Amino acid sequence: MTTRVGVVTFPGSLDDRDAQRAVRLAGAEPVALWHRDKDLHQVDAVVLPGGFSYGDYLRCGAISRFSPVMDTIIEQAKLGMPVLGICNGFQVLCESHLLPGALTRNDSLHFICRDQKLRIENASTAWTGDYTQGQEIVVPLKNGEGRFVADEHVLDALEAEGRIVARYLDVNPNGSYRDIAGISNAAGNVVGLMPHPEHAIEPLTGPTTEGLGFFTSVLKQLVSA
Amino acid sequence: MARVVVDVMLKPEILDPQGQAVQRALPRLGFDGIADVRQGKRFELELEGPVDDAALARIREAAETFLANTVIEDFTVRVEESQ
């Protein structure tokens, strides 16, 4: 049976189609999920895509977090369903308290759009199993509020528990504490990532194809589960 | 109608690059002597009913769960007297 990976569309989501395409290229069946529908339509995993859901009103991800689909996703994520939040999706996961910390305005105040080098720090989450520990990849990054902040205790705990999934290399584009580009929950099924692996899956449109690993990783994880 | 004001500010330890940008712009415009600027949000909530303890408790709950992200922000709730 084909693995079904849901991609949520909120009003203002931008990268839902790219995420669906990444899911398809990885070999799974993408399933479009609508923010007002509580039903996850038997998906095995969920991607929360990038964009500007609800126009970033109030705070990025703050309103999406209370959408009907998120009630079910939060419930299922706590039961172990893999969830990947990219960019705005990462913000939604922090606002949902599925991940600690928060994403705030870039320290430069500029919207940053560049090809970004990352180091995969934890290759054992549901979304990074196809990478090797310490592997360096380049994927696009585009955000205005991508600066990961958390208090020192939380940062120390994330480091100690191996929950920093990816770090910025060469340049810290937004002032994120400890160069954090992505983190996971304690179980490793929920991952939030500020850069965009779904834009680095084909040579025609991406700087590399090194982003595809996030989507192939979850397939293997689900097949072996 | 009764008005309740919720002020939301970034916690002191969280860098506020917007406030810093405002502060840097002030001297250029001739406004000197301002040592620091922090930028926040103000919500004005018009209540349908009276501002009693129950209503204020609900507003505090709304502020805590929704209007502010208490990971990075503090909030205050106060009743604005009608003129």
Side-chain angles (χ1 to χ4, degrees), chain B residues 51-66:
Chain B
V51 187
D52 51 21
D53 287 350
L56 278 176
R58 286 293 286 165
I59 288 170
R60 276 199 196 89
E61 195 184 333
E64 172 106 38
T65 54
F66 185 47

Side-chain angles (χ1 to χ4, degrees), chain A residues 94-184:
Chain A
C94 287
E95 284 283 343
S96 305
H97 305 300
L98 284 172
L99 294 176
L103 293 142
T104 61
R105 189 65 57 114
N106 295 348
D107 58 355
S108 65
L109 289 177
H110 292 286
F111 188 96
I112 306 291
C113 187
R114 64 192 306 269
D115 295 334
Q116 175 70 45
K117 194 190 267 191
L118 307 174
R119 185 173 54 232
I120 303 294
E121 300 278 3
N122 182 346
S124 59
T125 75
W127 297 91
T128 53
D130 272 355
Y131 295 99
T132 52
Q133 198 86 15
Q135 185 176 342
E136 296 180 7
I137 65 170
V138 174
V139 302
L141 170 106
K142 43 172 193 159
N143 65 69
E145 303 199 26
R147 180 170 176 265
F148 181 78
V149 302
D151 67 37
E152 288 296 311
H153 297 297
V154 170
L155 292 167
D156 289 343
L158 287 172
E159 302 249 19
E161 295 164 22
R163 290 168 56 191
I164 297 173
V165 174
R167 263 190 241 263
Y168 300 117
L169 279 189
D170 299 343
V171 184
N172 181 334
N174 46 32
S176 286
Y177 287 2
R178 304 194 192 184
D179 301 331
I180 289 174
I183 59 170
S184 76

Side-chain angles (χ1 to χ4, degrees), chain A residues 197-210:
Chain A
E198 82 282 18
H199 295 330
I201 55 165
E202 288 174 297
L204 179 65
T205 52
T208 67
T209 56
E210 292 165 345

